[in-house]
């Protein structure tokens, strides 16, 4: 567990620090434990951050008050992401946590890479019952709510005592404020504008957010995928962790990457790849195949690092080993990957410190020539256009 400042949601982070970030949101009345059967395996490929609602688990109760909204909760999630220096991240959430993900996809899509909405809804029914539950909890605590929780959360015959204990330990005022957020939640009108790749999971035996709610989300979001889980109720990640884990892993870690040849062309340009393929002989064909499959199909397609970052690393490595012919090619590639001449120059200046001044001197000469050629080509193209 991490130590979290009082103004932030409590969270638990696991997985490689440099891996793609994935935030996991909880349902009302639960803690990070709702993801115990799912998060450890996802953390093999992602930096998984599980967060807790205000007053739940270790999150401060005072982060929300009466009349709280899903937007308020989403703002707390963004504040947590900012504190962790996560500019963009993937997101999965259960129930209220799923609604937070929908709000982010509608209102802050620039922060999301991919989204999974689990046993959730764009509108959680009539607000009346939620306001009644909030009033009950404020006046009598969580005892009566806890008595009926197992029937809402799990299929008959299944239970998870630890999650029920977490419910009883939740701060009543914060729980009631989250009920207020559920009462006023209505994200349906924003669904058609969602462009984040989205997976919707539903428990077929979920009485709280029935499959019809999931179908409404999937039908409303262009291109969204829908999976219904058999023998699962509202807390599917706890009851069917293997099924949820497999679905999320497939969604957040697509098994088929871009082909090596496609990436090679995008980074190096068609002209270079065409020349390389035209000069391929029977003797060099195995090497060209190796490069396309391994360097471009495995390494350059790994989403852990961006192409900009890979270009910076590649430039440094080529300077260090004196591969100036390859350096010229990868200066062009760096521009294709979004690096500016100033950024390329800064990278080469860095090599002067760690690779030696003579190496950096040669590298600057190569880069200056290539950038000048590219600028001249752009000017010629503009005149002809």
């Amino acid at each position: 567990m991490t130590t979290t400042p009082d103004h932030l949601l409590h969270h638990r982070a696991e997985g490689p620090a440099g891996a793609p970030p994935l935030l996991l949101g909880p349902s009302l009345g639960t803690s990070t434990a709702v993801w115990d059967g799912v998060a450890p395996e996802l953390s093999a490929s992602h930096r998984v951050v599980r967060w807790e609602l205000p007053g739940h688990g270790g999150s401060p109760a005072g982060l929300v008050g009466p009349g709280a909204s899903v937007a308020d909760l989403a703002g707390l999630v963004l504040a947590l992401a900012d504190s962790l220096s996560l500019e963009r991240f993937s997101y999965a959430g259960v129930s209220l946590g799923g609604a937070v993900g929908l709000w982010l996809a509608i209102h802050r899509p620039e922060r999301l890479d991919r989204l999974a909405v689990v046993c959730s809804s764009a509108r959680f029914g009539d607000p009346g019952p939620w306001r009644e539950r909030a009033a009950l909890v404020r006046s009598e605590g969580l005892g009566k709510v806890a008595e009926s929780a197992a029937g809402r959360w799990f299929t008959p015959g299944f239970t998870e005592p630890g999650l029920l204990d977490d419910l009883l330990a939740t701060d009543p005022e914060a729980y009631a404020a989250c009920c207020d957020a559920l009462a006023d939640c209505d994200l349906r009108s924003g669904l058609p504008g969602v462009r984040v790749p989205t997976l919707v999971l539903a428990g077929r035996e979920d009485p709280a957010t029935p499959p019809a709610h999931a179908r409404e989300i999937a039908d409303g979001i262009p291109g969204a995928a829908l999976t219904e889980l058999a023998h699962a109720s509202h807390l599917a990640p706890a009851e069917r962790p293997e099924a949820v884990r497999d679905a999320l892993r497939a969604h957040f870690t697509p098994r088929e990457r871009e082909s090596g040849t496609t990436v090679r062309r995008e980074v190096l340009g068609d002209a270079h790849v065409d020349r390389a393929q035209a000069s391929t002989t029977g003797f060099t064909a195995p090497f060209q195949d190796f490069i396309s499959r391994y360097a471009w199909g495995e390494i350059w397609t790994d989403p852990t690092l961006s192409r900009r970052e890979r270009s910076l690393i590649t430039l440094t490595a080529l300077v260090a080993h004196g591969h100036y012919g390859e350096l010229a090619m990868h200066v062009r590639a760096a521009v294709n990957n979004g690096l500016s001449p100033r950024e390329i120059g800064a990278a080469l200046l860095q090599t002067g410190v760690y690779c030696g001044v003579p190496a950096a001197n040669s590298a600057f000469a190569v880069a200056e020539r290539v950038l000048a050629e590219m600028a001249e080509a752009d000017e010629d193209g503009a005149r002809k256009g």
Side-chain angles (χ1 to χ4, degrees):
M1 286 286 186
T2 59
T3 301
T4 308
D6 290 341
H7 66 284
L8 291 175
L9 296 169
H10 187 254
H11 67 282
R12 176 178 180 176
E14 51 203 317
L22 169 60
L23 270 59
L24 301 180
S27 64
L28 178 66
T30 67
S31 68
T32 58
V34 74
W35 291 105
D36 277 353
V38 177
E41 185 162 331
L42 294 180
S43 69
S45 57
H46 288 78
R47 180 63 169 174
V48 174
V49 179
R50 310 185 226 175
W51 60 271
E52 293 175 317
L53 289 161
H56 295 58
S59 285
L63 292 175
V64 292
S69 67
V70 171
D72 295 331
L73 297 173
L76 291 171
V77 170
L78 290 175
L80 173 61
D82 290 342
S83 75
L84 299 172
S85 299
L86 303 180
E87 182 178 352
R88 290 178 63 86
F89 50 87
S90 292
Y91 182 94
V94 187
S95 193
L96 178 53
V100 169
L102 284 175
W103 190 96
L104 291 171
I106 293 168
H107 297 283
R108 296 301 300 274
E110 76 280 1
R111 301 298 298 269
L112 291 187
D113 287 323
R114 304 180 78 84
L115 170 66
V117 181
V118 184
C119 299
S120 188
S121 181
R123 182 175 183 270
F124 292 82
D126 186 82
W130 290 111
R131 301 198 192 286
E132 293 171 6
R133 189 190 298 191
L136 172 67
V137 170
R138 287 186 172 110
S139 63
E140 301 183 24
L142 283 155
K144 290 185 178 179
V145 171
E147 289 176 4
S148 60
R152 296 190 306 274
W153 285 358
F154 309 121
T155 58
F158 181 90
T159 190
E160 186 59 61
L163 290 176
L164 296 172
D165 291 342
D166 286 341
L167 172 60
L168 285 169
T170 299
D171 180 87
E173 286 295 331
Y175 183 99
C178 289
C179 289
D180 292 340
L182 287 165
D184 291 334
C185 177
D186 190 348
L187 300 167
R188 292 173 295 178
S189 64
L191 297 179
V194 172
R195 293 296 180 265
V196 177
T198 301
L199 170 68
V200 185
L201 297 181
R204 285 184 182 167
E205 300 179 49
D206 181 358
T209 52
H213 290 221
R215 287 193 290 271
E216 182 176 44
I217 297 172
D219 289 344
I221 297 176
L226 171 64
T227 298
E228 294 186 16
L229 304 175
H231 313 297
S233 187
H234 191 55
L235 296 189
E239 188 167 8
R240 295 291 313 281
E242 299 88 356
V244 172
R245 190 171 62 218
D246 291 345
L248 295 186
R249 184 172 53 196
H251 180 62
F252 291 120
T253 311
R255 294 178 181 178
E256 292 188 8
R257 296 173 174 173
E258 297 176 86
S259 74
T261 300
T262 298
V263 175
R264 191 180 183 188
R265 287 184 177 278
E266 290 174 353
V267 174
L268 299 181
D270 289 331
H272 171 82
V273 177
D274 288 343
R275 286 194 301 271
Q277 291 180 343
S279 62
T280 299
T281 65
F283 181 70
T284 62
F287 178 71
Q288 289 295 322
D289 179 65
F290 167 77
I291 291 296
S292 292
R293 285 188 297 104
Y294 184 67
W296 297 104
E298 292 291 333
I299 303 303
W300 276 87
T301 55
D302 181 351
T304 305
L305 296 177
S306 68
R307 290 187 185 177
R308 284 170 51 88
E309 292 167 328
R310 292 190 182 281
S311 277
L312 289 169
I313 294 169
T314 302
L315 293 176
T316 303
L318 292 173
V319 173
H321 287 274
H323 299 311
Y324 299 116
E326 289 275 312
L327 177 64
M329 177 178 69
H330 276 280
V331 168
R332 294 186 178 90
V335 174
N336 291 340
N337 285 338
L339 290 175
S340 68
R342 182 178 180 181
E343 289 171 320
I344 293 171
L348 297 182
L349 189 61
Q350 187 89 356
T351 66
V353 177
Y354 293 97
C355 301
V357 172
N361 185 50
S362 298
F364 266 104
V366 171
E368 187 172 40
R369 172 177 58 81
V370 171
L371 293 171
E373 290 172 354
M374 295 182 74
E376 184 178 353
D378 288 341
E379 290 176 3
D380 288 344
R383 285 196 295 270
K384 292 177 181 177

